[in-house]
Amino acid sequence: EMGLARVPGIRHVRSSAPVLFTSGLARPAIVVSSGALARLSGPAVRAALAHELAHVLGRDLLLGWSVMIVRAALALNPVAQIVARAAIQEMERRADDRAARATGGPEALAEGMAALSRDRRPAGTAPGRDVGPFDEFLGDLAARGRVAAIERRRTRLLAAWPPRPAAFPAARLGLAAVSVTALLFFVV
C-alpha cells in the first residue's frame, strides 16, 4: 500500500519494554518487542508498522544518521542544533502523515503513540539499577521531553487531519537550505 519495492524484515525482541523502531541503512528492518505488541491494539499495530515503513520509504535512517553527524560536528553551534531538531521533527511529521493516510486516518496511530509513551521510564533507570541523583534528573528530563514531543505529534495529527499541502514545497525547501547554509557560514 505504501509503494515500497521491498518490504523490510521484522525482528522480534523478547522484552516487556515498549520497543518499536527501524534499523539498518542497507537492509532496513523493523524491530518490535513483546512489550510493544502487548500495549497496542490491532489497528494501532498496523498504524505503528506503517509509520516505520514510512521511515524506510523516506530514507529517514540515512537522514537521521546525517543529522546526528552534523550535530556532533557542530555541537557548540546553537543554530545547527535547532535546525537538526527541526529536521527530525519534520521527518516524524512526514512519517506520521504517510502512516495515517495508509491506514485510513490518524486515530489508530495516535492511540499507538499514547500507548507506547505511557509509563515511560527514563533511560538508564531500569528496576534494580543504582543511579545517582544527577543521572536520574537527566534521565527524567529526557523522558519528559520525549513524551511531550509525542503528545505534540498526537495533537497535531488529531486536530489537523487531513493535513493541508504546503504551498511551493520545492521553493520552500530551497530557500530553507540557502538560509541554513548562510547562517552556518556566518555563525561558524
Side-chain angles (χ1 to χ4, degrees), residues 54-70:
H55 281 309
V56 173
L57 184 64
R59 299 184 191 272
D60 292 343
L61 293 171
L62 181 60
L63 174 62
W65 277 101
S66 301
V67 167
M68 187 176 72
I69 290 167
V70 169

Side-chain angles (χ1 to χ4, degrees), residues 94-109:
R94 279 193 340 252
D96 289 344
D97 290 348
R98 280 183 177 158
R101 275 193 297 276
T103 58
E107 293 80 14
L109 182 60

Side-chain angles (χ1 to χ4, degrees), residues 121-184:
R121 295 186 66 82
T125 59
R129 180 169 175 185
D130 189 25
V131 295
F134 187 68
D135 291 333
E136 187 174 329
F137 168 75
L138 288 179
D140 187 49
L141 190 62
R144 286 181 191 202
R146 284 190 300 271
V147 170
I150 290 169
E151 188 56 36
R152 283 191 299 274
R153 286 172 47 206
R154 287 183 68 245
T155 300
R156 183 197 69 82
L157 265 175
L158 294 172
W161 187 259
R164 293 182 306 156
F168 309 109
R172 292 173 72 179
L173 179 62
L175 181 60
V178 168
S179 300
V180 168
T181 302
L183 276 172
L184 290 175

